[in-house]
């Protein structure tokens, strides 16, 4: 006979948790496709295939039940998160190697689901970022009136991804456009004021055009996850606060060089990081207080890297650095037990 | 640039302070160290370590006059705990200080043979034997630590060690 | 469905309405009753009868053997046919039992009479309550008189009656409060007298409006005043420590008793049993049992003679609807599973669930912990079950203890919300064994040390006294030898 409790919450499994996270990403994925073309779909398909292959290989090598763990969906999430971080026209081997590295090294070498100290998606992305910086800057401008010089339909996208070169006689320089974070950083580095740098057409009211809507969609997805009680509010709120408070202070001190909080919130991977990456339970702090510290750390480090570091966005490194600190944070934020004074 | 430095520095120093924050204050003086060592000892007061009891042994360890491998009742676990506390190398418990029975044992007096000499009562370090002069003596099983100190003084050899489980199990 | 509160806990599907539709009624009396001698917390009772003895209804048949033990009375008149070990539903082993064949005459033991409790001293009253065989009917079966005597030295005691029947499926207290509120209030006054206090609260979950109304009506008619407090229906609101925090906003310190902070907690059913014993002279020989689940035709609450085989109650409820003989004694969160329906109802049997597969959501395949933290969110003891789970796997006794394993109340909330389907509560039950042994060894070492130190002090004192006496004598002798 079984031991108590004899009943558990219905349909509450790791697989369901992971599926809900994927659903929450859907609006952002759709907007991404509208703004940047069908590249993301191919990237996701490539990534998920690589993730499933790497996961089955690792499980088989480790003598674990392949079927049971493959169905949990965590590998797919890793692949989708990496795909969302890569330029949609990036060559196929980029997403494949990044995802394979994430699954094989960052996840399974550390013991698989639940045992990895670092967020696999961010490890995969960081490895690609330091290894292939040129390919990772080849973003298209969003498909908003007057921004895109060349439109990429499906056949052209496929051609670019699988051959690594642009169709016909196009040159990369003519097609790509810096991301808002990158444009801003280059502009300011060249001595422009913030106002001059953001005068380019890729900037809109809040921040980068296209990116602002994607971030809003991610925020909506995150709020839905909160309402489904799949994530707790502590990490995202603390991370966004850790990002906006320094941004508010610096833009107040020197409005000519530092963009305000709104720009940071809607630029780059802010919302993706806050609601989908920093909230990875496996690699984050445990207690509510711990999550606040952990999230705030990610926000502050992201701001520091964006403003003064060597990379336009800093979410990946910020998350990895705070992953490293999570056990320490846990040690110092053990909650009080009922009936104990401390 | 300065702001970057200040922010990262603040963050790093915060974490460093958290990491280095003393969880327990170190034993600053000898008597506190003795107490902490004594807390780890099993309190059988059996003198197998060659000292007069657990506290004297703890004192000797604290003063560096005794090794951490002299307590058979504590066994390997106590030795490891002592090594961790004192930051010393772990070292196997020396069998020359005695070997413990596989089952925890307590003393038992054959009351038919006992002549009531009170020698064992005087030997017991934890007052676990009761009885008066010329009257039969009895071991309080619950209080006996199994130190065996009562066995040598007995003039009629009426004390023996018995498994504790058997002795207490009989009551319930 | 899952809705956690700041203090932990869960809102669960209660399924109580299934067994509250039918009114409370008496169960049929069986031809044979089986009365385990260890059906209460503490030491087993000692039989006062032997095979062949004739017994009367309400006659004491076993006596307590320690301060924490209880009287057992015969719930029928008839003859003792066996005193032997029989299987029981509350633990895996057999228990010593007295088996009585019912003569269906219900000849009462006239030694049991009503008493005027107001004229008794608290100590006398407590002794008398013990003679009624009364134990906590919430499930813990701690002897009521023992609890009273532990608390009675405390000044300003507050009596807290637990009517928060938080576990799913169970409705015996709900029915009792609806239909016998006057008994509960009378029992409350007896207990207040035994404790020398005039302050009492009855705590009830807010999903039992009929029970609240009848308690209010019953309490309004008598003095001293009894407060009726309602709580949100969050599981496990009826856990003693959780209830005390919810009602009084105070925590019971770890390792201490509620009476240490001036609170004595009793189940409402216990209060009603006290009333029956004091007012009517009827010892604890019946209790209300919920028979529920889709596996039984007509779920109901039955007032049952102790020792009645469960099969007889199932028959009273129209019998099984399935061939599946899976039974749960207690609620679905903390109850014990068993399959033999010949086992007897005892003082602690509040509910028998006969579940059909659709009633319960069994666990699916276990996955590794993803540290989602759902468990710590719902833990009513504010523990970190995911950390305890790692430590239990590593057999790290010291860490388990410092992370509060012994404060785990085994409520099952963490299991319920775990997406990885880990049987956490069972792991914790197992992990408690070595931690308990460690704590015991440490307390024994502490006692040995105290005895050793006391002996050392005594030896020094005796030596000093001897030396002082010698000195005195020497001075006397030298004083005599050399006159001034």
């Amino acid at each position: 006979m079984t031991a108590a409790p004899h009943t558990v919450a219905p349909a509450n499994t790791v697989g369901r948790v992971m599926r809900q996270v994927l659903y929450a990403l859907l609006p952002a994925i759709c907007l991404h496709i509208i703004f940047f073309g069908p590249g993301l779909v191919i990237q996701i398909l490539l990534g998920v295939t690589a993730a499933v292959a790497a996961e089955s290989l690792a499980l088989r090598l480790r003598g674990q039940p392949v079927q049971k763990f493959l169905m949990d969906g965590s590998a797919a999430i890793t692949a989708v998160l990496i795909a969302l971080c890569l330029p949609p026209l990036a060559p196929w081997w980029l997403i494949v190697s990044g995802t394979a590295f994430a699954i094989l090294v960052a996840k399974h070498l550390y013991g698989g689901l639940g045992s990895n100290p670092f967020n696999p998606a961010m490890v995969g992305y960081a490895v690609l970022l330091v290894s292939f910086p040129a390919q990772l800057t080849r973003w298209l401008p969003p498909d908003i009136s007057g921004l895109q010089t060349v439109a990429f339909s499906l056949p052209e996208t496929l051609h670019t991804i699988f051959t690594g070169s642009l169709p016909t006689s196009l040159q990369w320089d003519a097609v790509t456009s810096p991301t808002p974070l990158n444009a801003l950083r280059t502009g300011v580095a060249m001595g422009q004021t913030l106002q001059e740098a953001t005068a380019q057409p890729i900037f809109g009211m809040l921040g980068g055009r296209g990116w602002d809507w994607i971030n809003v969609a991610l925020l909506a997805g995150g709020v839905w996850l909160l309402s489904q009680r799949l994530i707790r509010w502590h990490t995202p709120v603390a991370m966004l606060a850790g990002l906006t408070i320094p941004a508010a202070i610096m833009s107040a001190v020197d409005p000519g060089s530092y963009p305000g909080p709104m720009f940071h919130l809607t630029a780059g991977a802010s919302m993706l990081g806050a609601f989908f990456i920093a909230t990875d339970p496996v690699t984050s702090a445990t207690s509510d207080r711990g999550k606040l510290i952990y999230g705030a750390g990610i926000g502050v480090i992201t701001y520091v890297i964006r403003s003064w570091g060597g990379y336009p966005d800093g979410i990946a490194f910020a998350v990895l650095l705070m992953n490293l600190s999570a056990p320490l944070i846990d040690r110092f934020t053990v909650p009080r037990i009922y009936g104990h004074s401390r | 640039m300065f702001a970057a430095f200040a922010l990262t520095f603040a963050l790093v120093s915060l974490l460093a302070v958290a990491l280095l924050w003393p969880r327990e204050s170190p034993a600053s003086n000898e008597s506190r160290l003795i107490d902490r060592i004594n807390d780890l000892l099993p309190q059988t007061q059996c003198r197998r370590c060659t000292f007069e009891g657990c506290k004297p042994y703890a004192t000797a360890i604290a003063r560096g006059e005794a090794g951490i491998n002299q307590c058979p009742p504590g066994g390997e676990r106590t030795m490891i705990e002592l090594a961790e506390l004192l930051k010393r190398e772990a070292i196997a418990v020396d069998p020359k200080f005695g070997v413990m029975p596989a089952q925890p044992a307590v003393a038992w007096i054959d009351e038919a043979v006992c002549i009531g000499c009170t020698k064992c009562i005087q030997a017991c370090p934890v007052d676990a034997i009761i009885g008066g002069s010329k009257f039969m003596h009895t071991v309080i099983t619950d209080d006996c630590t199994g130190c065996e100190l009562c066995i040598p003084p007995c003039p009629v050899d009426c004390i023996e060690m018995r498994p504790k489980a058997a002795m207490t199990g009989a009551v319930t | 469905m899952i809705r956690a509160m700041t203090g932990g806990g869960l809102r669960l599907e209660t399924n109580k309405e299934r067994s509250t539709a039918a009114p409370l009624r008496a169960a049929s009396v069986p031809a044979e009753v089986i009365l385990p001698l260890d059906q209460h917390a503490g030491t087993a009772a000692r039989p006062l009868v032997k095979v062949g003895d004739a017994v009367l209804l309400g006659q004491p048949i076993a006596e307590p053997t320690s301060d924490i033990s209880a009287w057992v009375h015969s719930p029928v008149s008839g003859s003792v046919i066996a005193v032997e070990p029989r299987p029981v539903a509350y633990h895996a082993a057999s228990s010593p039992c007295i088996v009585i064949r019912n003569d269906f005459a219900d000849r009462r033991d006239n030694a049991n009479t009503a008493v005027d409790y107001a004229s008794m001293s608290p100590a006398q009253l407590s002794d008398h309550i013990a003679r009624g065989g009364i134990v906590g009917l919430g499930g813990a079966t701690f002897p009521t008189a023992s609890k009273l005597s532990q608390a009675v030295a405390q000044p300003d005691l507050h009596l807290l009656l637990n009517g928060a029947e938080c576990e799913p499926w169970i409705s015996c207290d709900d029915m009792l409060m609806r239909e016998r509120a006057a008994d509960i209030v009378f029992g409350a006054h007896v207990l207040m007298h035994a404790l020398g206090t005039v302050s009492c609260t009855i705590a009830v979950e807010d999903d039992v409006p009929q029970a609240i109304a009848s308690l209010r009506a019953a309490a309004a008619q008598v003095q001293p005043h009894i407060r009726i407090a309602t709580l949100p229906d969050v599981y496990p609101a009826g856990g003693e420590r959780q209830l005390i925090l919810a009602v009084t906003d105070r925590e019971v310190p770890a390792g201490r008793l509620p009476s240490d902070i001036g609170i004595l907690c009793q189940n409402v059913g216990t209060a009603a049993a006290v009333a029956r014993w004091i007012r009517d002279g009827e010892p604890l020989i019946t209790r209300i049992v919920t028979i529920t689940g889709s596996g039984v035709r007509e779920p109901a609450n039955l007032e049952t003679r102790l020792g009645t085989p469960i099969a007889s109650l199932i028959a009273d409820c129209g019998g099984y609807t399935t061939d599946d003989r899976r039974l749960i004694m207690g609620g679905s969160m903390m109850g014990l599973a068993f399959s033999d329906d010949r086992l007897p109802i005892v003082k602690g049997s509040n509910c028998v669930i006969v579940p059909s597969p659709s009633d319960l959501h069994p666990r699916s395949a276990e996955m590794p912990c993803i540290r989602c933290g759902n468990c710590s969110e719902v833990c009513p003891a504010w523990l970190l079950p995911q950390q305890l789970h790692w430590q239990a796997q590593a057999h790290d006794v010291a860490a388990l203890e410092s992370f509060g394993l012994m404060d785990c109340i085994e409520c099952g909330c963490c299991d319920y919300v775990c997406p990885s389907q880990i049987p956490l509560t069972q792991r914790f039950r197992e992990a408690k064994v070595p931690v308990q042994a460690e704590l015991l060894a440490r307390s024994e070492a502490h006692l040995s040390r105290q005895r050793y130190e006391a002996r050392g002090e005594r030896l020094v004192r005796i030596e000093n006294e001897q030396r002082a006496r010698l000195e005195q004598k020497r001075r006397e002798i030298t004083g005599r030898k050399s006159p001034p």
Side-chain angles (χ1 to χ4, degrees), chain A residues 181 184 188 194 198 203 206 243-244 246-252 254-264 303 306-307:
Chain A
L181 277 171
L184 192 76
V188 170
L194 191 68
T198 54
F203 289 96
L206 299 177
L243 186 62
T244 46
I249 295 171
M250 290 311 292
S251 75
D254 184 358
S257 317
Y258 296 97
M262 223 36 182
F263 176 82
H264 276 284
Y303 184 78
R306 279 183 181 179
S307 302

Side-chain angles (χ1 to χ4, degrees), chain A residues 325-334, chain B residues 18-19 21 23, chain C residues 387 403:
Chain A
S325 323
L328 179 69
I329 295 171
D330 278 348
R331 200 177 135 188
F332 287 98
T333 52
V334 177
Chain B
L19 185 60
W21 197 266
R23 299 217 71 184
Chain C
Q387 305 289 81
F403 276 78

Side-chain angles (χ1 to χ4, degrees), chain B residues 89-168:
Chain B
E89 198 75 21
I91 170 171
V93 179
D94 194 333
K96 89 171 179 208
F97 294 103
V99 177
M100 298 305 292
Q103 295 286 321
V106 290
W108 175 79
I109 297 176
D110 187 346
E111 290 163 0
V113 184
C114 175
I115 54 171
C117 70
T118 75
K119 285 205 165 83
C120 58
I121 294 178
Q122 291 162 40
C124 179
V126 292
D127 289 341
I129 306 179
I130 49 172
S133 180
K134 305 272 165 48
F135 288 96
M136 160 191 98
H137 305 337
T138 301
V139 177
I140 308 166
T141 303
D142 282 346
D143 291 341
C144 178
T145 66
C147 70
E148 302 182 9
L149 291 176
C150 52
I151 293 177
C154 181
V156 292
D157 284 342
C158 71
I159 309 180
E160 63 182 52
M161 301 305 289
R162 293 190 162 190
K164 187 170 187 177
M167 298 299 289
T168 50

Side-chain angles (χ1 to χ4, degrees), chain C residues 31-52:
Chain C
E32 219 175 271
V33 289
I34 305 159
L35 300 152
L37 297 172
D38 64 353
Q39 54 180 303
H40 46 260
T43 58
R46 184 186 303 120
L48 297 169
V49 291
K50 54 187 188 303
V51 175

